[in-house]
Amino acid sequence: NAGVTQTPKFQVLKTGQSMTLQCAQDMNHNSMYWYRQDPGMGLRLIYYSASEGTTDKGEVPNGYNVSRLNKREFSLRLESAAPSQTSVYFCASSDPTGANVLTFGAGSRLTVL
Amino acid sequence: AQRVTQPEKLLSVFKGAPVELKCNYSYSGSPELFWYVQYSRQRLQLLLRHISRESIKGFTADLNKGETSFHLKKPFAQEEDSAMYYCALSRSGGYQKVTFGTGTKLQVIP
């Protein structure tokens, strides 16, 4: 049981480049989330998907797009990376019983030069 | 809007001393409150939630709706408690977004 798997673990981009962070969960969870973690800022919600087929903006959606490909997968895309997007990105999912308890991935460290 | 405030970025205590990590929230409806912990080189994980009213690793937290607080407490700190602690909030019911505070780093001094 892998839980929540994120790829890649590390990535270095140049300003203006694009990339996609992948996330998959094997727990049959309905809801999935993308957060970014910055020193002193805590975890900030970028986008979330309450269930397959729906996505909603979080606190800091600008510069990002998401795709809920199916129930298992939720990807985060940076179309034109900026240095302000240097961060650690976490994907999470929550169980379908309504408890909103999150299971997190290991994180993806992104550096934009 | 839902908001979580953790006023302390860093809390240093001696081993064996009591610990209280503060969390205040702003939400007009019926909230669900959580504490998550991130140990060094480990994933973020749930520590406890107010619904279950349980004690995990000696930690407890009581939801005070009057003061809109959900402080995390432990009577005697252990070195292994050193970690980053996040308070989080969601609406009641499933499929809700979860909002986190800025986190408090707990440092237990031997």
Side-chain angles (χ1 to χ4, degrees):
Chain A
N1 188 345
V4 179
T5 304
Q6 292 180 233
T7 55
K9 284 187 166 46
F10 301 95
Q11 184 73 47
V12 179
L13 291 177
K14 293 181 180 178
T15 297
Q17 286 186 317
S18 62
M19 77 157 298
T20 300
L21 298 174
Q22 307 284 358
C23 176
Q25 52 90 10
D26 61 3
M27 298 171 286
N28 200 38
H29 285 179
N30 284 303
S31 301
M32 297 185 74
Y33 307 76
W34 277 106
Y35 290 89
R36 58 179 288 174
Q37 184 185 45
D38 302 289
M41 306 289 283
L43 284 156
R44 292 181 292 170
L45 183 63
I46 305 171
Y47 272 94
Y48 72 108
S49 171
S51 59
E52 187 179 355
T54 69
T55 60
D56 287 286
K57 295 179 181 179
E59 304 165 65
V60 288
N62 291 344
Y64 305 94
N65 286 304
V66 290
S67 296
R68 183 73 183 267
L69 304 168
N70 47 56
K71 191 171 185 178
R72 291 186 64 248
E73 298 172 287
F74 189 39
S75 63
L76 178 72
R77 182 159 179 86
L78 288 70
E79 290 292 352
S80 178
S84 60
Q85 294 178 304
T86 293
S87 188
V88 180
Y89 291 85
F90 287 97
C91 178
S93 66
S94 62
D95 66 274
T97 62
N100 299 318
V101 173
L102 299 181
T103 300
F104 281 88
S108 300
R109 184 175 293 275
L110 175 66
T111 301
V112 183
L113 302 175
Chain B
Q2 53 197 58
R3 182 174 295 170
V4 178
T5 302
Q6 294 180 252
E8 303 138 329
K9 288 188 176 178
L10 173 66
L11 182 65
S12 296
V13 301
F14 286 101
K15 179 181 173 182
V19 174
E20 183 177 44
L21 298 169
K22 290 184 168 35
C23 173
N24 288 90
Y25 67 90
S26 172
Y27 184 65
S28 57
S30 180
E32 290 184 2
L33 275 299
F34 311 84
W35 277 99
Y36 284 82
V37 60
Q38 188 175 29
Y39 300 104
S40 180
R41 298 191 188 88
Q42 293 189 29
R43 299 186 183 203
L44 268 155
Q45 57 187 285
L46 178 72
L47 180 62
L48 55 79
R49 48 184 168 138
H50 88 274
I51 289 176
S52 54
R53 300 183 66 82
E54 57 196 343
S55 173
I56 304 292
K57 300 185 179 183
F59 284 98
T60 58
D62 290 318
L63 178 60
N64 186 323
K65 290 188 177 181
E67 295 182 358
T68 58
S69 68
F70 188 57
H71 303 327
L72 184 68
K73 299 177 184 178
K74 184 170 183 176
F76 308 104
Q78 305 293 319
E79 287 181 67
E80 56 266 30
D81 295 330
S82 294
M84 194 74 180
Y85 291 80
Y86 291 97
C87 184
L89 162 76
S90 74
R91 263 173 60 174
S92 295
Y95 312 103
Q96 303 296 331
K97 68 177 182 179
V98 182
T99 300
F100 284 79
T102 51
T104 298
K105 183 175 182 179
L106 176 64
Q107 182 180 60
V108 180
I109 304 165

